[in-house]
Amino acid sequence: MAKRRAELHIRVFGASSGESIILQLPDGTWAVIDCFATSPDDPQTNPAYVFLKSAGVHSLEFLCLTHPHADHFMGMSHLVGDFQIKTFWAFGGLDPPDFALLKTFFKVDAQTSQLPDSRAKEREISRLFDAILHNNISQQSVAAKTLIYPSIGAQSNIKIWAIAPSGRHIRQYKSALLRSFKGSAFKSALPQSDHNLISSAFLIEFGQTRIILGGDVEKDGWQAVLDDKPVQSVASHAVKVPHHGSKTGYCTSLWDCLAVGGK
């Protein structure tokens, strides 16, 4: 029998409104970064779910939520419920106690917000975190300068590095989240854009190929990446643009660095 050629496949769904990225890794396993369904109660409105089911996938090497904005987590609870998840990648270096705080944040936001989808967001984030804990899924914190995949000591022809968020942005986000509460009472909401402070971004190295997945990292976050890394180290062959192509994800000096060496 001919030996299977090692290939990396990356599929992006709904990048203009909501986002999900499906990875088929060189060893044939699958992984998902972010998820969005137009109806969190109906998995058939979730393109990642539908694709994986049609491909006969039963398990995921990892499931990643880059940051807690609804257009990146709606419908993710269905993936946790219907697929065997090896590891959940936790955005922004957050730990399980922080998940409880975020659940409270979304709950109170739903009680005070006038937005029609606020209660749907609160239900889905609660279902997601509860399912992760209930299924005893291993959790991996994501922070810059970390080799996320494979685990230390494992042999693989692919490496995935976290290049964002920075430690400064993680600390800034956690402080803002804690300031939203006074004792056990909700005091004030985080501005909508502040969740992007802890958006994950990744550099994938597969052989000589380098790919950046930008999440919803905004200008200051990219500047932190550039301040931390030599220009050559972020040069890539392909980039999934940050923040759906929004101008807030544009950093003036970034693109020249990504294309160093004509890549």
Side-chain angles (χ1 to χ4, degrees):
M1 181 179 291
K3 185 176 180 180
R4 179 184 179 274
R5 180 184 176 186
E7 295 179 341
L8 169 66
H9 295 266
I10 300 177
R11 298 171 174 88
V12 180
F13 294 88
S16 63
S17 178
E19 183 169 293
S20 187
I21 300 173
I22 296 178
L23 305 178
Q24 187 176 9
L25 301 172
D27 64 359
T29 57
W30 296 78
V32 174
I33 298 175
D34 288 334
C35 183
F36 181 73
T38 54
S39 171
D41 297 319
D42 181 3
Q44 295 306 310
T45 68
N46 182 334
Y49 181 97
V50 171
F51 176 86
L52 291 168
K53 284 292 186 181
S54 67
V57 177
H58 301 288
S59 62
L60 299 176
E61 188 72 7
F62 61 81
L63 173 64
C64 172
L65 174 57
T66 59
H67 64 293
H69 272 149
D71 60 337
H72 292 255
F73 68 70
M74 280 296 200
M76 188 171 279
S77 63
H78 290 295
L79 296 182
V80 176
D82 287 5
F83 296 86
Q84 183 177 355
I85 312 295
K86 184 175 180 180
T87 307
F88 177 71
W89 291 5
F91 51 85
L94 300 190
D95 299 314
D98 301 308
F99 296 160
L101 191 60
L102 269 173
K103 283 174 58 178
T104 303
F105 173 89
F106 275 92
K107 180 178 180 179
V108 179
D109 187 56
Q111 294 170 350
T112 59
S113 174
Q114 301 301 312
L115 297 176
D117 61 346
S118 60
R119 292 195 179 276
K121 294 177 185 178
E122 184 265 326
R123 287 195 303 271
E124 178 62 8
I125 203 76
S126 293
R127 283 190 298 215
L128 173 61
F129 291 156
D130 289 347
I132 290 168
L133 295 175
H134 176 75
N135 294 334
N136 294 315
I137 297 173
S138 174
Q139 296 173 37
Q140 168 72 56
S141 294
V142 176
K145 300 186 287 187
T146 304
L147 178 64
I148 298 295
Y149 184 87
S151 58
I152 299 299
Q155 297 297 314
S156 177
N157 55 359
I158 182 173
K159 292 183 178 179
I160 303 179
W161 299 86
I163 57 175
S166 68
R168 172 171 63 87
H169 287 120
I170 291 173
R171 292 189 296 273
Q172 185 177 340
Y173 179 81
K174 286 189 175 185
S175 295
L177 188 61
L178 289 171
R179 287 198 304 271
S180 296
F181 296 85
K182 186 174 183 180
S184 59
F186 184 79
K187 185 173 63 173
S188 61
L190 281 167
Q192 179 77 0
S193 62
D194 277 2
H195 291 307
N196 290 338
L197 279 174
I198 42 82
S199 176
S200 304
F202 302 102
L203 170 63
I204 300 175
E205 295 179 333
F206 176 50
Q208 299 300 310
T209 302
R210 295 160 60 86
I211 301 168
I212 285 181
L213 304 179
D216 271 9
V217 179
E218 296 189 343
K219 180 179 179 180
D220 191 49
W222 286 114
Q223 190 58 58
V225 172
L226 296 179
D227 291 344
D228 180 60
K229 288 183 170 292
V231 168
Q232 186 65 44
S233 70
V234 293
S236 300
H237 297 86
V239 178
K240 203 297 294 180
V241 296
H243 208 188
H244 315 280
S246 169
K247 64 181 180 180
T248 61
Y250 179 76
C251 178
T252 305
S253 53
L254 176 64
W255 298 102
D256 289 339
C257 296
L258 294 177
V260 166
K263 295 184 177 181

Short mmCIF file of all heavy atoms in Angstrom, two decimals, residues 212-243:
data_model
loop_
_atom_site.label_atom_id
_atom_site.label_comp_id
_atom_site.label_asym_id
_atom_site.label_seq_id
_atom_site.Cartn_x
_atom_site.Cartn_y
_atom_site.Cartn_z
N ILE A 212 0.12 32.16 9.15
CA ILE A 212 -0.35 32.88 10.34
C ILE A 212 -1.87 32.94 10.33
O ILE A 212 -2.49 33.29 9.32
CB ILE A 212 0.25 34.31 10.40
CG1 ILE A 212 1.72 34.23 10.82
CG2 ILE A 212 -0.54 35.18 11.37
CD1 ILE A 212 2.40 35.57 10.95
N LEU A 213 -2.46 32.56 11.46
CA LEU A 213 -3.89 32.70 11.68
C LEU A 213 -4.08 33.83 12.69
O LEU A 213 -3.68 33.71 13.84
CB LEU A 213 -4.48 31.39 12.21
CG LEU A 213 -4.25 30.15 11.33
CD1 LEU A 213 -4.86 28.91 11.98
CD2 LEU A 213 -4.80 30.35 9.92
N GLY A 214 -4.69 34.93 12.23
CA GLY A 214 -4.64 36.17 12.99
C GLY A 214 -5.71 36.39 14.03
O GLY A 214 -5.66 37.40 14.75
N GLY A 215 -6.70 35.49 14.13
CA GLY A 215 -7.75 35.71 15.13
C GLY A 215 -8.38 37.08 14.98
O GLY A 215 -8.58 37.57 13.86
N ASP A 216 -8.67 37.72 16.10
CA ASP A 216 -9.18 39.10 16.09
C ASP A 216 -8.17 40.04 16.75
O ASP A 216 -8.55 41.03 17.39
CB ASP A 216 -10.53 39.19 16.82
CG ASP A 216 -11.70 38.94 15.89
OD1 ASP A 216 -11.47 38.54 14.74
OD2 ASP A 216 -12.86 39.14 16.32
N VAL A 217 -6.90 39.73 16.61
CA VAL A 217 -5.86 40.59 17.18
C VAL A 217 -5.93 41.96 16.51
O VAL A 217 -6.02 42.07 15.29
CB VAL A 217 -4.46 39.98 16.99
CG1 VAL A 217 -3.39 40.90 17.57
CG2 VAL A 217 -4.39 38.61 17.65
N GLU A 218 -5.89 43.01 17.32
CA GLU A 218 -5.97 44.37 16.80
C GLU A 218 -4.59 45.02 16.76
O GLU A 218 -3.59 44.39 17.06
CB GLU A 218 -6.96 45.18 17.64
CG GLU A 218 -8.39 44.63 17.54
CD GLU A 218 -9.43 45.53 18.18
OE1 GLU A 218 -9.06 46.42 18.99
OE2 GLU A 218 -10.62 45.35 17.87
N LYS A 219 -4.56 46.27 16.37
CA LYS A 219 -3.30 46.96 16.06
C LYS A 219 -2.28 46.86 17.20
O LYS A 219 -1.11 46.52 16.97
CB LYS A 219 -3.57 48.43 15.74
CG LYS A 219 -2.32 49.22 15.40
CD LYS A 219 -2.67 50.66 15.05
CE LYS A 219 -1.40 51.45 14.73
NZ LYS A 219 -1.71 52.87 14.40
N ASP A 220 -2.70 47.15 18.42
CA ASP A 220 -1.75 47.15 19.53
C ASP A 220 -1.22 45.74 19.79
O ASP A 220 -0.06 45.55 20.17
CB ASP A 220 -2.42 47.70 20.80
CG ASP A 220 -1.42 47.96 21.91
OD1 ASP A 220 -0.40 48.61 21.65
OD2 ASP A 220 -1.67 47.50 23.04
N GLY A 221 -2.07 44.74 19.57
CA GLY A 221 -1.64 43.37 19.73
C GLY A 221 -0.58 42.98 18.72
O GLY A 221 0.39 42.28 19.05
N TRP A 222 -0.76 43.42 17.46
CA TRP A 222 0.25 43.12 16.44
C TRP A 222 1.55 43.85 16.71
O TRP A 222 2.63 43.34 16.44
CB TRP A 222 -0.29 43.45 15.05
CG TRP A 222 -1.29 42.45 14.59
CD1 TRP A 222 -2.63 42.66 14.36
CD2 TRP A 222 -1.06 41.07 14.34
NE1 TRP A 222 -3.23 41.50 13.98
CE2 TRP A 222 -2.30 40.50 13.95
CE3 TRP A 222 0.07 40.25 14.41
CZ2 TRP A 222 -2.43 39.15 13.64
CZ3 TRP A 222 -0.07 38.91 14.09
CH2 TRP A 222 -1.29 38.38 13.70
N GLN A 223 1.45 45.06 17.25
CA GLN A 223 2.67 45.77 17.59
C GLN A 223 3.44 45.03 18.66
O GLN A 223 4.67 44.97 18.64
CB GLN A 223 2.34 47.20 18.06
CG GLN A 223 3.57 48.09 18.19
CD GLN A 223 4.34 48.22 16.89
OE1 GLN A 223 3.79 48.65 15.87
NE2 GLN A 223 5.62 47.85 16.91
N ALA A 224 2.72 44.41 19.59
CA ALA A 224 3.37 43.61 20.62
C ALA A 224 4.07 42.40 20.01
O ALA A 224 5.16 42.02 20.44
CB ALA A 224 2.34 43.15 21.66
N VAL A 225 3.46 41.79 18.99
CA VAL A 225 4.10 40.67 18.29
C VAL A 225 5.39 41.14 17.64
O VAL A 225 6.44 40.49 17.76
CB VAL A 225 3.15 40.09 17.21
CG1 VAL A 225 3.89 39.06 16.36
CG2 VAL A 225 1.93 39.45 17.86
N LEU A 226 5.35 42.29 16.97
CA LEU A 226 6.54 42.80 16.28
C LEU A 226 7.62 43.22 17.26
O LEU A 226 8.82 43.04 16.99
CB LEU A 226 6.15 43.98 15.39
CG LEU A 226 5.19 43.66 14.24
CD1 LEU A 226 4.87 44.92 13.46
CD2 LEU A 226 5.77 42.60 13.32
N ASP A 227 7.22 43.76 18.40
CA ASP A 227 8.20 44.16 19.42
C ASP A 227 8.89 42.95 20.02
O ASP A 227 10.03 43.03 20.47
CB ASP A 227 7.51 44.96 20.53
CG ASP A 227 7.04 46.33 20.06
OD1 ASP A 227 7.50 46.78 18.99
OD2 ASP A 227 6.20 46.93 20.75
N ASP A 228 8.19 41.82 20.03
CA ASP A 228 8.69 40.62 20.69
C ASP A 228 9.56 39.77 19.77
O ASP A 228 10.45 39.06 20.24
CB ASP A 228 7.51 39.79 21.19
CG ASP A 228 7.96 38.52 21.88
OD1 ASP A 228 8.68 38.62 22.88
OD2 ASP A 228 7.59 37.43 21.41
N LYS A 229 9.31 39.81 18.46
CA LYS A 229 9.97 38.89 17.54
C LYS A 229 10.81 39.63 16.50
O LYS A 229 10.43 40.70 16.05
CB LYS A 229 8.92 38.03 16.80
CG LYS A 229 8.26 36.99 17.68
CD LYS A 229 7.30 36.15 16.85
CE LYS A 229 6.80 34.96 17.64
NZ LYS A 229 7.87 34.00 17.91
N PRO A 230 11.94 39.05 16.09
CA PRO A 230 12.68 39.61 14.96
C PRO A 230 11.80 39.60 13.72
O PRO A 230 10.91 38.74 13.57
CB PRO A 230 13.86 38.64 14.79
CG PRO A 230 13.97 37.93 16.10
CD PRO A 230 12.57 37.86 16.65
N VAL A 231 12.00 40.56 12.83
CA VAL A 231 11.17 40.69 11.64
C VAL A 231 11.09 39.38 10.87
O VAL A 231 10.02 38.93 10.47
CB VAL A 231 11.71 41.82 10.74
CG1 VAL A 231 11.04 41.79 9.37
CG2 VAL A 231 11.49 43.17 11.40
N GLN A 232 12.23 38.72 10.67
CA GLN A 232 12.26 37.51 9.86
C GLN A 232 11.40 36.40 10.45
O GLN A 232 10.87 35.56 9.74
CB GLN A 232 13.70 37.02 9.71
CG GLN A 232 13.87 35.83 8.76
CD GLN A 232 13.53 36.18 7.32
OE1 GLN A 232 13.90 37.22 6.82
NE2 GLN A 232 12.78 35.29 6.65
N SER A 233 11.23 36.40 11.76
CA SER A 233 10.55 35.28 12.41
C SER A 233 9.04 35.27 12.19
O SER A 233 8.38 34.30 12.51
CB SER A 233 10.84 35.28 13.91
OG SER A 233 10.19 36.37 14.54
N VAL A 234 8.46 36.36 11.66
CA VAL A 234 7.03 36.37 11.36
C VAL A 234 6.76 36.34 9.86
O VAL A 234 5.60 36.39 9.43
CB VAL A 234 6.30 37.57 12.00
CG1 VAL A 234 6.29 37.44 13.51
CG2 VAL A 234 6.91 38.88 11.56
N ALA A 235 7.82 36.27 9.04
CA ALA A 235 7.62 36.15 7.59
C ALA A 235 6.86 34.87 7.30
O ALA A 235 7.18 33.81 7.82
CB ALA A 235 8.97 36.15 6.89
N SER A 236 5.82 34.97 6.45
CA SER A 236 4.94 33.83 6.22
C SER A 236 4.52 33.74 4.76
O SER A 236 4.57 34.72 4.01
CB SER A 236 3.68 33.94 7.09
OG SER A 236 4.04 33.97 8.47
N HIS A 237 4.10 32.54 4.38
CA HIS A 237 3.63 32.31 3.03
C HIS A 237 2.16 32.68 2.88
O HIS A 237 1.70 33.01 1.78
CB HIS A 237 3.82 30.84 2.64
CG HIS A 237 5.25 30.41 2.61
ND1 HIS A 237 5.92 29.96 3.73
CD2 HIS A 237 6.15 30.38 1.60
CE1 HIS A 237 7.17 29.64 3.41
NE2 HIS A 237 7.33 29.89 2.13
N ALA A 238 1.40 32.56 3.96
CA ALA A 238 -0.04 32.85 3.91
C ALA A 238 -0.47 33.41 5.25
O ALA A 238 0.07 33.04 6.30
CB ALA A 238 -0.84 31.59 3.57
N VAL A 239 -1.43 34.32 5.22
CA VAL A 239 -1.95 34.95 6.43
C VAL A 239 -3.48 34.96 6.36
O VAL A 239 -4.06 35.42 5.37
CB VAL A 239 -1.45 36.39 6.59
CG1 VAL A 239 -2.06 37.04 7.85
CG2 VAL A 239 0.07 36.44 6.65
N LYS A 240 -4.11 34.43 7.39
CA LYS A 240 -5.56 34.62 7.54
C LYS A 240 -5.70 35.94 8.26
O LYS A 240 -5.36 36.08 9.42
CB LYS A 240 -6.15 33.46 8.37
CG LYS A 240 -7.65 33.21 8.15
CD LYS A 240 -8.54 34.36 8.55
CE LYS A 240 -8.47 34.58 10.05
NZ LYS A 240 -9.36 35.73 10.47
N VAL A 241 -6.18 36.95 7.54
CA VAL A 241 -6.14 38.32 8.05
C VAL A 241 -6.90 38.43 9.37
O VAL A 241 -7.91 37.75 9.58
CB VAL A 241 -6.70 39.33 7.04
CG1 VAL A 241 -5.84 39.36 5.79
CG2 VAL A 241 -8.15 39.03 6.70
N PRO A 242 -6.39 39.29 10.26
CA PRO A 242 -7.04 39.45 11.57
C PRO A 242 -8.34 40.22 11.49
O PRO A 242 -8.54 41.06 10.61
CB PRO A 242 -5.99 40.22 12.38
CG PRO A 242 -5.20 40.97 11.36
CD PRO A 242 -5.17 40.10 10.15
N HIS A 243 -9.20 39.92 12.44
CA HIS A 243 -10.44 40.67 12.67
C HIS A 243 -11.27 40.85 11.42
O HIS A 243 -11.80 41.92 11.14
CB HIS A 243 -10.12 42.04 13.30
CG HIS A 243 -11.24 42.56 14.16
ND1 HIS A 243 -11.23 43.83 14.69
CD2 HIS A 243 -12.40 42.00 14.57
CE1 HIS A 243 -12.33 44.02 15.38
NE2 HIS A 243 -13.06 42.93 15.33
#
